[in-house]
Structures are given as C-alpha cells and as structure tokens.
Amino acid sequence: MLTLKVKEMELDSGGPLIAVLNLEDSGDLGVRSQGRIKILHDTCQVTAIVNTTEKVIRKGEIGIYDEVKNNLHLRDEDLVGVTAAPTPQSLNYIRGKLRGRKLSYQEIYEIVDDVVHGNLSDAEVASFVTALHFRGLDLEETINISKAMVETGKTLKLGKEVVVDKHSIGGVPGDKTTLLVVPIVAACGLTIPKSSSRAITSAAGTADRAETLMPVILSIEEMKKVVNRANGCIVWGGALELSPADDIFIKVEFPLSIDPLLLPSILSKKKAVGSNSLVVDIPCGWGAKIKTLEEAHQLAGEFIELGKRLDIKIRCIVTYGSQPIGYTIGPALEAKEALENIMGQIWCEDLIDKATDIAGSILDMNGFTNGKEIALQTLKNGKAEEKLREIIDLQGGDTNLQPDDLPIGSSRYDIRSEKQGYLIWINNHALVEVARKAGTPKDKGAGIKLYKKTGDTVKNGDLLLTLFAEKGSKLEDAISTLESSKAMQVGKRMEMTMSEVKAVTTEVEDFILER
Amino acid sequence: MLTLKVKEMELDSGGPLIAVLNLEDSGDLGVRSQGRIKILHDTCQVTAIVNTTEKVIRKGEIGIYDEVKNNLHLRDEDLVGVTAAPTPQSLNYIRGKLRGRKLSYQEIYEIVDDVVHGNLSDAEVASFVTALHFRGLDLEETINISKAMVETGKTLKLGKEVVVDKHSIGGVPGDKTTLLVVPIVAACGLTIPKSSSRAITSAAGTADRAETLMPVILSIEEMKKVVNRANGCIVWGGALELSPADDIFIKVEFPLSIDPLLLPSILSKKKAVGSNSLVVDIPCGWGAKIKTLEEAHQLAGEFIELGKRLDIKIRCIVTYGSQPIGYTIGPALEAKEALENIMGQIWCEDLIDKATDIAGSILDMNGFTNGKEIALQTLKNGKAEEKLREIIDLQGGDTNLQPDDLPIGSSRYDIRSEKQGYLIWINNHALVEVARKAGTPKDKGAGIKLYKKTGDTVKNGDLLLTLFAEKGSKLEDAISTLESSKAMQVGKRMEMTMSEVKAVTTEVEDFILER
C-alpha cells in the first residue's frame, strides 16, 4: 500500500472514477494505465481507473477527478492509501452467465454492487448486459436483480400503507398523460410519489414537460416533503439515485438497442419509492414500440407476475399508440396543452380519456368504485387543477402559472395540405425526428402543433401542423427533415401504397423502452 | 465547428483518446462528458471521448491526452477543428449482429475500422465481441473479419514467394520451442518473420523470453531489415501494429474468458507479415488449454479450412501438454535453457523433439524431404546456433552472449521430496501461479527450475524444484503459494486420489488461448 497526497485535477470524466498516478508509483503498484486501484480514505474506499503521467503528478501524489473527490469527500493535500485493486469476484459470475449458468441472489447482488461502485469496467458491464440479452433471466433471477438494484440505491420511506404509481413504456409522441394523472390521483387522497425520466430518443420526457411548469430536480428528502404535504409530486428520477445501477445499465443498452433489464429496471425504481400499486401503460400500434396486442399482453403478463413477487399490485392498460396524444409535441407545448386541459380551457378527447382511464384504474385498485367517473369529476370540478398548483408551489414553481406564460419558440412555420380528403395516417417516428431537429428536448419551446388527427377531413389549404423552434437555423433543419420524410398522409380512404422501396437501407432507429 | 487551441495535458489514458473541454464549449457543441467529438487537424481526424472542466481548460482551448497528441501529431498552441461526432454507422451493424444478422464484408470492415479509430466505445466493442460469442461467425464472416483486421493495420512486405511461420495456442509452461524453431528454419534458408506476444496469464511469452537474449521491440521497417539479412527474426508483435483491432478485441475478451475471434486474430497477424505456410502447435492434455484430442482435431480443422480461404497453407501439430516443456519456467531461465540446448550443452529430449517436429514440418511443407532429420542436423552441426547469434546481432543484442550471462534471480529456495516413489503428475496451472508470485513475467530472472518430470523416480530428499525471485518478498509469496497448492505429486504408481472437494468454490481461472 502506498500513501499518496491528493491533488485535485478539477476534471470531470462524466462518470468513471479516474485517478492519475506518476509512472513511478504506478510501476511500484504494478498497475498500468487503464488498470484499477483501490483508494482508501478514513473508512471509505473506491475503485478507480488509472491514468498515468511523467510530469503533471509527481511521485508521492495522486491526481483525482471530480468523481473521486466527491465520492471520498477529498481535498487537496489529503493523504490516501492506494493499492492495486484485485479482480472483482463478480467477474467470475459474469463469466458464469456467459456460459449460461443461473445466478444466485448473492452473485447478482455482487455484480450490481460492483457496477454501482465502478469496480467493473464499461466493457465488462456491456458484456454482462449482452449476455443477459442472449441467455435471458428466469423469473427468480429477474426478481433478484430487481431487489439488488433497489438495495444498492437510495429509497423513499413514506410510512404509508398504500403508495400508488403509474408508468408508461413510452413510444407515443405528445404523451402528457402523467401531468393529469398525478394531480387527479393525489386530489383523491392517494399517495403518488412520481419520478419521471427525461427524453432519450423522444421529443420530450415527462420530466422535460414538467420542468416547464416547475423545478423537477429535487433530492429524495425534498421529494418526501412535497409528497407528505400534497400526496403527490412530479420530479426527475435522475437526481434521486433510486437505482444507480440502472442508470449505468441503460447507458450500455441504449446505443445497442437491447433491453434485457427492462422489467427489473422499471420495477426497481417503483419499489425504491415504496410503490405497492401500479398501473402500467403499454401504448400499442403502428409507430409505437409494441406493435401487436399479443406482444402487449405478453409484456403485461410479465409485469404482473414479477410485480406479485415484488409485492407490487400491477394492472396494465394497453392503449392506442398509432398517433400522438393530444395535438402537441415538445416540452413547453405539451405542458401548455396539459395545463389548458386541466384548467378546462380545452378538452382533448384522447388525452382526457387516457388520463382518466389510468387514474380511474389506480383508484379502482385502491378502494374506490367507478374510478373513471371519479377521475373525470376531479378534473371537471377543478380539484385536479388545485392539486397541480399545490404541487407546483411545493416544488418551487409559480402557483399562478397560466398557459400563455409558457415560453413557446418564436420561429414558426406552417404546413398546409395541398390536397383534400382525410388524414389517413400519422408517422410517429417522423414527427419525433422533426421535433428533435427543431430543438427538442433541449430547447423547451421547440416542437410541433398538429391541427388534424387520423380520420379528420382535410380541405385543400387547411393547416396540418405548425413547427416551433427557438432558433431559426433549427427551424430550417426541421423543415427540410419534414419535407424529406413522410410525416402524415392526406388522401382518399383507399390509397393503400405507403411507400416504395427501391434500394437497400441499413438504417436502424434508436429505440428503447422508457424506464 | 469550433476552432480550439491545443493545450497538452501530459496525461496518458492507457489507450482511449481523451480530450478535455471547458463546460461552455462542450455545451455549445451539445456534447456531455463521456460524449464523443471529432478533432480535425490538417487532413487528419480522430474521434475522442470528452471530459469536461470549469477551470483547467478555458473556453477556446482543448486539453489533449498523449494518445490524441500522438495520433494527430499536435503541439501546444496548435489550432484544431472540433465538432460533435455523429453515431457511427457501424453501430447499426453491431445491432444487426445482436439480432443474428449475417454481416457483409463492407459492414465488418467498417466495424473493425471504427474499432481501430476509437469511434466505438469500450462498451460497444464489448457488446460486439459478446454477440459474436453467442451468435458465432460463419466461415465467410470469419474470412472477412480476418481480412478487415489485416487491412486496418500495418503489413510487412518482403517480396518473397514463400514466407513460413509457426504459432502455438499456448497453455503449456516453459514452452521455449520458438527460440529453437526460428533459427533452425531460417538456417535452412526459409523466411520466417516471427512476431510473438508477451505473457498475459502465463509465466512467460516468447517475446518475454527472447527479450533476455536481445532487443525485441522493433518497428516493422527494422523487422524487415533483420529478416532480409537473416531470413528470420524474433520480435514482439505489440510494437508492430499488425492487427491493431485485435489488440483492442483481446482487451475485452480476456477478462471475460471468451474468445470468439481466436482464429481471425491469429491468422490476421500471420497474414499481415505475409506468411503463406504455417504450422500451428496445439498443446493438448491435462492442464493445457485443449483437454482432448477431439477438441484439438476440431480446432485444427477450423484452422486449415480458414487458412485455405486466406491463402495460407496450414498444418497443425497436436502436442503433449500435460507438463512443462524442458525443465525451466520464467523468461531468463527459459532463454538460458534454450540457449544451452541450441549450443549442445544440454539436450532436453521433449524440447528438442517438439522443436524439430515443428521445424521439420515447416521444412516438409516447403520442398524439403525428411524435415525432422534436417532440423536435428541443423541443431547438431551448430548452424542453428550460428543463425540465432546472427539474429541476436541484427536485432541489437550481444552476439557472444553465454548462458551464464543471463541474469537469474538471486533469491532462491529449494523444494525437496519428503517421500519416495515416482513423480506421478505435475500441475501446470499451479506452477504458473507460483512462478507469477515469484515475479514472472515482469521480473525476468524469476521462475522455477524443475529437476524431475512425470514418470521419474524420486528418492526421499531428492530436489524437486528450485524457486527463483529477484526480490525476497516475492520469493516468500511464491513459497507460500507453492505450499498451499498441489504443484506436483510424488507417490506410488497407484495413488489415485488427486484431491478431495469439501466446499463449493466459484473460482474460475483467467484463461485465454494465445494469439
């Protein structure tokens, strides 16, 4: 063991724990660049990846990145103990899974724990996830990995007997349902500590939408205060460290479009906030992630079975997902539409129906009768709006916020129909791509407003949609993407050909179920 | 595109290309820490991983690690262009392989090319390799990946019609055969541009052994000069950049003990030096990597088939691998033994037999008759020694080197038998572990000298082995490892029990075929 003096590098690696050693010290430890060391300080220790230098860090010193500094609460000149890190035992279990061996709880726990503590390299984590993709997990392993993901993260303890939740596996643009469901359910007296994700491939995640209404980056203690007062909250899950292993797994899964940990990922986060009653929305249809009712029912069955074993009562609702929900896509546009609906200024049939179905189902599962009707009443009598404003207030937003206060992008472009007939279909993927070119999810005011939905009659010259962007250059990008893509089709009822394929294309979309 | 001013960080990441951006610049590029940027300078460009900082690097500057500096030949104050790197197209092909799709040559080439240029993350490479492990490669894909690995690296062009080579898949300790084969074959007039690897899990690789006789870190141009003069060489492959993709793949495969690219890996490196006639040694037996003749023949068949398609004539020799070759383990001890044998000072039956079988086979494949006999003669008449000394000289070593010049560790410890009988078995793995504890492969003078081989009679008090180390503390480690392991067994011919298993053990050895 070497004793080395800390020198802050003031560098942020974006996740990995990096330490810089002088070549002489790394030689003495028998560790090369890219090798792993254990750094000990007081009673804490972390494993870090080594970078080496001949000059910047002298013999007897250790340069630390911000991630190491924060993890061990180190300061310049602190002394730390440093040893070569042994190969983690969990690597043996990963090899076991590669060979098809079933893993025990203890083994899974060690893998997950080592993932969280940076003891496994990116490559090793990627191989584990890929092995799961091929070998699969049986029910017991799925339960065990869900539990391990909860135990290696923070948890929210509300001390309530019933804690409800909702989750959508996503894939439908414009789905602002959660912004209605949470206030409805909370207004009815149920506890719903909702944490949401940001968009990865979509135009807006619930956290992105909600952030235009109120702050969503809360600590778990702040979240607890809000829920104790208002019965509900809408916060970003990323700041809560509820299932830190999952945040690492998803970084690996996403670029590869594989998703072997979908169920453990979702349910571990629900379990971590103490939910024991959950409605899962499975959008289904052309342009959604789940294409057939059979697939949807298969997935629903898996959710329910796993839920039972984790003591979470689950109902799944398979919803129509072949076109956007409501008429807007993009964080601020969607938040505005949700606010207008909850205030009764407008009434989007599909949005209201979906929100009250889900809220109603949650109510029905927990002692209410005719939940759908109660949910509708709660919207109509202003209780839901009142609750939303309470949550906005408690999370630090402006309780008097009006729809027109939301900043919508000022660069705009209208698209009108050049023929007449019906709106035959809408292409979800194309709309998302256009919205992202316009700047979503980063530019909160960017997005799309639709004027027609599938089945609507369209006259020549009718407005089909408006593009919104915060920057003119992005509006141009969005317009050219829209012009080269098939976003929607106006035609007669019998125009069957959707497109002709004339050359091989190898493009595969970025696509992952939300969690 | 941003234009940024280079600031050298003087840090070595150990492989990955890392650049440090000020948070403002990374924000402008829309890239986060861990994201990828393209750095352009003159006509060259590389993809690098981003780390961020608020202070160390100011807005308008870019901090570069040594790997980026060397790749782009940059200096302090140089101006470079920087853009966010797009997702590489090859990621789509990796996803295709994950779904079981057969890859075309062009697709494989792009993957390999992006691996070499750092355009794919460690996690993405790991997932690709793991997918290959599960999905496998058909013959055509195996050919194509071998070719792509050659084309993305450097090649040695000797302009000779016949270029021969040997390769051992390794696994047997003490295997210094190559140090005899190369001089024998080269002395007979055949061209053998031998590149070798260093030990990963073994006690010594051929490059480690040879390095105690002469410099082995040569550039490809230097290697060419030596071969043009002497017909042969013995150099370290790691410095030649023959198949840089493989060097990256192997880093992923090794910790996971998977090896889907074994054949392309080996044959691409042979192809890169222009070999068209190859003998592959497949050690087989208890304690070797290949345990049965059936496995050995299966592997041999695959080598020969793939060789045909790559225009490399291949013969495989399955050799007895249940105990070390010769009597020494450890770089300098093995080099000394090889030198003593080639000088005729000693005569290790198994080493000489194996070396002349392999050399003989190479001769037989290329116009000689009775190659084994010719190989033996070449050893006995001093031509092989003469050739070895010529190679040593050309590679920059001392042509008059004597066996006693080799620095053997001065910390020594003898193990004597405490009973009499026969040496019933030797445990290769245990000996390697003991040798590594003693300091091999890093401490060149560390290792083991055996006095008995399997079947030898042993008297009470007979020397069984001597441990050598350069440092006393490592000798202690080696002794205690030896005492707690079963390295060899002296007993009567009928003592059948090798060990009793009383508790579950999950240890899996680090084990990979050499390439």
Side-chain angles (χ1 to χ4, degrees):
Chain A
M1 161 118 62
L2 292 178
T3 301
L4 301 177
K5 191 186 284 182
V6 165
K7 213 177 149 187
E8 293 181 23
M9 304 290 293
E10 304 195 19
L11 294 172
D12 177 339
S13 72
L17 302 175
I18 310 273
V20 184
L21 296 180
N22 184 280
L23 270 177
E24 283 196 50
D25 286 329
S26 66
D28 282 354
L29 289 169
V31 178
R32 294 184 203 173
S33 218
Q34 285 287 85
R36 276 172 282 199
I37 52 171
K38 261 200 198 314
I39 307 176
L40 299 96
H41 185 242
D42 295 338
T43 55
C44 302
Q45 60 171 57
V46 295
T47 302
I49 307 283
V50 173
N51 285 186
T52 57
T53 178
E54 285 185 66
K55 290 192 206 160
V56 182
I57 296 296
R58 283 171 300 182
K59 185 169 161 61
E61 294 179 341
I62 179 170
I64 56 164
Y65 270 55
D66 291 350
E67 287 84 359
V68 175
K69 175 180 134 188
N70 297 336
N71 231 294
L72 287 178
H73 310 291
L74 292 174
R75 289 191 204 176
D76 256 335
E77 311 279 308
D78 279 349
L79 294 179
V80 292
V82 176
T83 60
T87 304
Q89 184 67 12
S90 60
L91 192 54
N92 286 329
Y93 310 144
I94 293 177
R95 290 175 185 162
K97 188 39 102 178
L98 276 159
R99 286 194 300 272
R101 192 162 68 72
K102 177 176 167 142
L103 299 179
S104 70
Y105 177 70
Q106 190 53 40
E107 291 169 340
I108 286 174
Y109 180 86
E110 277 191 46
I111 293 171
V112 172
D113 194 56
D114 280 339
V115 166
V116 171
H117 289 97
N119 295 339
L120 291 167
S121 72
D122 283 2
E124 287 154 3
V125 174
S127 193
F128 175 60
V129 170
T130 311
L132 293 182
H133 171 74
F134 283 108
R135 294 286 187 193
L137 289 153
D138 69 15
L139 181 62
E140 201 179 335
E141 288 176 312
T142 310
I143 293 161
N144 286 336
I145 202 163
S146 308
K147 287 185 179 168
M149 284 161 84
V150 175
E151 283 183 30
T152 52
K154 293 193 176 172
T155 52
L156 175 70
K157 292 188 188 74
L158 292 166
K160 305 254 181 184
E161 201 179 320
V162 174
V163 178
V164 307
D165 219 329
K166 73 142 295 213
H167 185 84
S168 171
I169 64 159
V172 180
D175 195 352
K176 62 279 294 174
T177 309
T178 297
L179 299 183
L180 274 65
V181 171
V182 169
I184 293 172
V185 169
C188 293
L190 291 176
T191 304
I192 182 163
K194 182 78 184 99
S195 74
S196 300
S197 52
R198 294 193 186 279
I200 302 177
T201 53
S202 68
T206 292
D208 300 313
R209 294 173 192 117
E211 200 166 33
T212 67
L213 303 173
M214 56 190 146
V216 295
I217 305 177
L218 275 67
S219 69
I220 208 152
E221 293 73 25
E222 291 166 336
M223 177 188 188
K224 187 172 176 174
K225 274 186 203 159
V226 174
V227 177
N228 275 335
R229 297 268 300 271
N231 292 339
C233 67
I234 306 174
V235 303
W236 178 46
L240 302 174
E241 298 172 62
L242 291 176
S243 180
D246 185 50
D247 298 336
I248 296 166
F249 288 136
I250 202 168
K251 273 191 206 160
V252 170
E253 294 179 339
F254 171 64
L256 300 163
S257 301
I258 58 174
D259 213 351
L261 291 169
L262 175 69
L263 271 73
S265 164
I266 293 171
L267 294 187
S268 67
K269 289 192 169 166
K270 301 304 174 194
K271 191 79 193 160
V273 295
S275 306
N276 48 29
S277 181
L278 171 69
V279 170
V280 177
D281 168 29
I282 305 179
C284 175
W286 188 66
K289 290 170 185 175
I290 303 293
K291 315 288 183 206
T292 68
L293 268 176
E294 290 68 27
E295 275 177 80
H297 286 154
Q298 163 81 22
L299 183 61
E302 290 170 9
F303 265 114
I304 289 165
E305 180 65 33
L306 183 57
K308 259 186 212 161
R309 306 289 293 262
L310 292 172
D311 298 318
I312 306 175
K313 256 191 308 176
I314 297 182
R315 275 194 203 176
C316 295
I317 297 194
V318 182
T319 57
Y320 179 74
S322 296
Q323 67 175 347
I325 309 296
Y327 289 85
T328 56
I329 298 170
L333 283 160
E334 294 188 42
K336 181 168 183 279
E337 187 175 44
L339 192 56
E340 287 166 345
N341 273 275
I342 214 167
M343 291 172 75
Q345 294 183 351
I346 61 172
W347 193 258
C348 295
E349 295 284 353
D350 58 346
L351 172 61
I352 300 283
D353 186 61
K354 182 166 176 174
T356 53
D357 277 348
I358 290 172
S361 194
I362 295 173
L363 295 172
D364 287 342
M365 286 169 80
N366 291 289
F368 291 76
T369 346
N370 213 352
K372 166 98 180 173
E373 198 48 47
I374 295 169
L376 272 170
Q377 283 308 321
T378 310
L379 260 184
K380 287 179 181 162
N381 65 19
K383 291 273 168 64
E385 182 190 348
E386 202 177 294
K387 180 56 75 179
L388 178 62
R389 293 193 180 279
E390 186 187 356
I391 292 172
I392 289 174
D393 185 43
L394 289 168
Q395 292 190 194
D398 170 12
T399 189
N400 292 314
L401 188 81
Q402 297 302 311
D404 287 340
D405 296 339
L406 289 166
I408 308 300
S410 55
S411 295
R412 299 176 186 195
Y413 186 79
D414 290 333
I415 301 279
R416 291 175 185 278
S417 182
E418 293 169 359
K419 47 183 178 171
Q420 67 168 45
Y422 299 90
L423 189 64
I424 309 182
W425 48 259
I426 296 180
N427 180 344
N428 284 340
H429 295 314
L431 288 181
V432 169
E433 204 193 338
V434 169
R436 288 179 69 101
K437 290 283 178 188
T440 69
K442 191 166 167 276
D443 298 348
K444 293 271 197 306
I448 299 172
K449 184 170 168 56
L450 303 170
Y451 300 97
K452 300 285 179 184
K453 299 283 286 276
T454 306
D456 287 353
T457 55
V458 177
K459 280 181 254 147
N460 204 336
D462 269 2
L463 260 180
L464 289 176
L465 58 84
T466 302
L467 296 180
F468 297 82
E470 295 182 357
K471 291 175 191 156
S473 63
K474 292 193 177 179
L475 187 71
E476 295 302 320
D477 284 354
I479 293 168
S480 71
T481 301
L482 183 67
E483 282 170 353
S484 67
S485 71
K486 290 176 172 280
M488 42 178 55
Q489 182 67 41
V490 175
K492 297 180 197 150
R493 288 221 178 264
M494 287 299 145
E495 286 182 24
M496 295 299 287
T497 299
M498 294 174 68
S499 73
E500 274 182 299
V501 178
K502 290 175 179 161
V504 174
T505 164
T506 52
E507 282 291 331
V508 176
E509 294 147 29
D510 289 335
F511 210 45
I512 195 157
L513 301 191
E514 264 166 41
R515 51 205 233 180
Chain B
M1 161 118 63
L2 292 178
T3 301
L4 302 176
K5 190 186 285 182
V6 165
K7 211 176 150 188
E8 293 180 24
M9 303 291 292
E10 304 196 19
L11 294 172
D12 176 338
S13 73
L17 302 176
I18 310 273
V20 184
L21 295 180
N22 184 281
L23 271 175
E24 284 195 49
D25 285 328
S26 67
D28 282 354
L29 288 169
V31 178
R32 294 186 202 172
S33 217
Q34 286 284 87
R36 277 173 283 199
I37 52 171
K38 261 199 199 313
I39 307 176
L40 299 94
H41 184 243
D42 295 335
T43 56
C44 302
Q45 60 171 55
V46 295
T47 302
I49 307 283
V50 173
N51 286 185
T52 57
T53 179
E54 286 185 64
K55 289 191 207 161
V56 181
I57 296 296
R58 283 170 301 184
K59 185 169 161 61
E61 294 178 339
I62 178 169
I64 57 163
Y65 270 55
D66 291 349
E67 286 84 359
V68 176
K69 175 180 134 188
N70 297 335
N71 233 293
L72 288 177
H73 310 292
L74 292 173
R75 290 193 205 174
D76 256 337
E77 311 278 312
D78 278 350
L79 294 179
V80 291
V82 176
T83 60
T87 304
Q89 182 69 9
S90 60
L91 194 53
N92 286 329
Y93 311 143
I94 293 178
R95 290 174 186 162
K97 190 37 105 176
L98 277 159
R99 286 193 301 270
R101 192 161 66 72
K102 178 175 168 143
L103 300 179
S104 71
Y105 177 71
Q106 192 50 42
E107 291 169 341
I108 286 175
Y109 180 86
E110 277 192 46
I111 292 171
V112 173
D113 195 57
D114 280 338
V115 166
V116 172
H117 290 98
N119 296 338
L120 292 166
S121 73
D122 282 1
E124 287 153 3
V125 175
S127 194
F128 175 59
V129 170
T130 310
L132 294 183
H133 170 74
F134 283 109
R135 295 285 187 193
L137 291 152
D138 69 16
L139 181 63
E140 201 179 335
E141 288 176 312
T142 310
I143 293 161
N144 287 337
I145 200 164
S146 308
K147 287 184 179 168
M149 284 160 84
V150 175
E151 283 182 31
T152 51
K154 294 193 175 170
T155 52
L156 175 69
K157 291 185 188 78
L158 292 166
K160 305 254 180 182
E161 200 180 319
V162 175
V163 177
V164 307
D165 219 329
K166 72 142 297 213
H167 185 85
S168 171
I169 64 159
V172 180
D175 196 352
K176 63 279 294 177
T177 310
T178 298
L179 299 183
L180 275 65
V181 171
V182 170
I184 293 172
V185 169
C188 293
L190 292 175
T191 304
I192 182 162
K194 181 79 184 95
S195 74
S196 300
S197 53
R198 294 192 187 280
I200 302 177
T201 53
S202 67
T206 292
D208 301 312
R209 292 172 193 118
E211 198 166 35
T212 68
L213 302 174
M214 56 191 147
V216 296
I217 305 178
L218 274 67
S219 71
I220 210 151
E221 293 74 24
E222 293 166 333
M223 178 188 187
K224 187 172 177 176
K225 275 186 204 161
V226 174
V227 178
N228 275 336
R229 298 269 300 271
N231 291 339
C233 68
I234 305 174
V235 304
W236 177 47
L240 302 174
E241 299 172 59
L242 291 174
S243 179
D246 185 51
D247 298 336
I248 296 166
F249 289 136
I250 202 169
K251 273 193 207 158
V252 169
E253 295 179 340
F254 172 64
L256 301 163
S257 301
I258 58 174
D259 213 351
L261 291 170
L262 175 70
L263 271 72
S265 163
I266 293 170
L267 295 187
S268 66
K269 290 193 169 168
K270 301 305 173 193
K271 192 81 192 157
V273 295
S275 306
N276 47 29
S277 180
L278 170 68
V279 170
V280 178
D281 168 29
I282 305 179
C284 175
W286 187 64
K289 289 169 185 175
I290 303 294
K291 316 288 184 204
T292 67
L293 270 175
E294 289 68 26
E295 276 176 79
H297 286 153
Q298 163 81 24
L299 184 61
E302 291 170 7
F303 265 114
I304 290 166
E305 180 67 32
L306 183 58
K308 261 187 213 160
R309 306 289 291 264
L310 292 172
D311 298 317
I312 306 176
K313 256 190 311 177
I314 296 183
R315 276 195 202 173
C316 295
I317 297 194
V318 183
T319 57
Y320 179 74
S322 296
Q323 65 176 349
I325 309 296
Y327 290 85
T328 55
I329 297 168
L333 284 161
E334 294 187 43
K336 182 169 183 279
E337 189 175 44
L339 192 56
E340 287 165 344
N341 274 273
I342 213 166
M343 292 172 74
Q345 295 183 350
I346 60 171
W347 192 260
C348 294
E349 294 284 351
D350 57 346
L351 172 60
I352 300 283
D353 187 62
K354 182 166 176 175
T356 52
D357 276 348
I358 291 171
S361 194
I362 295 173
L363 295 172
D364 287 343
M365 285 169 80
N366 291 290
F368 291 76
T369 346
N370 213 350
K372 166 97 179 175
E373 196 50 44
I374 296 169
L376 272 170
Q377 283 308 320
T378 309
L379 259 184
K380 285 178 182 163
N381 64 20
K383 293 271 167 63
E385 182 190 346
E386 204 176 295
K387 181 56 73 178
L388 178 63
R389 292 191 183 280
E390 186 187 354
I391 292 172
I392 288 174
D393 185 42
L394 289 168
Q395 291 191 196
D398 170 11
T399 186
N400 293 312
L401 188 79
Q402 296 303 309
D404 286 341
D405 296 339
L406 290 165
I408 308 301
S410 56
S411 296
R412 299 177 185 194
Y413 186 79
D414 289 334
I415 301 279
R416 290 173 186 277
S417 180
E418 294 170 357
K419 49 183 176 169
Q420 66 169 47
Y422 301 89
L423 189 64
I424 308 181
W425 48 258
I426 297 180
N427 180 344
N428 284 340
H429 295 315
L431 288 182
V432 169
E433 202 191 340
V434 169
R436 288 179 69 100
K437 290 283 179 187
T440 68
K442 190 166 167 272
D443 299 349
K444 292 270 195 308
I448 299 172
K449 184 170 167 53
L450 303 171
Y451 301 98
K452 301 286 177 183
K453 299 284 285 279
T454 307
D456 287 351
T457 56
V458 177
K459 281 182 254 147
N460 202 335
D462 270 2
L463 262 178
L464 289 177
L465 58 85
T466 302
L467 297 179
F468 296 83
E470 295 182 357
K471 291 177 191 154
S473 63
K474 293 193 178 178
L475 187 71
E476 297 300 321
D477 284 355
I479 293 168
S480 70
T481 301
L482 183 67
E483 282 170 353
S484 68
S485 71
K486 289 175 172 281
M488 41 177 56
Q489 182 68 38
V490 175
K492 296 179 199 152
R493 289 225 176 263
M494 287 300 146
E495 285 181 23
M496 295 300 288
T497 300
M498 294 173 68
S499 74
E500 275 181 298
V501 178
K502 290 176 179 161
V504 174
T505 163
T506 51
E507 282 292 330
V508 176
E509 292 147 30
D510 289 333
F511 209 45
I512 194 158
L513 301 191
E514 263 166 40
R515 52 203 230 180

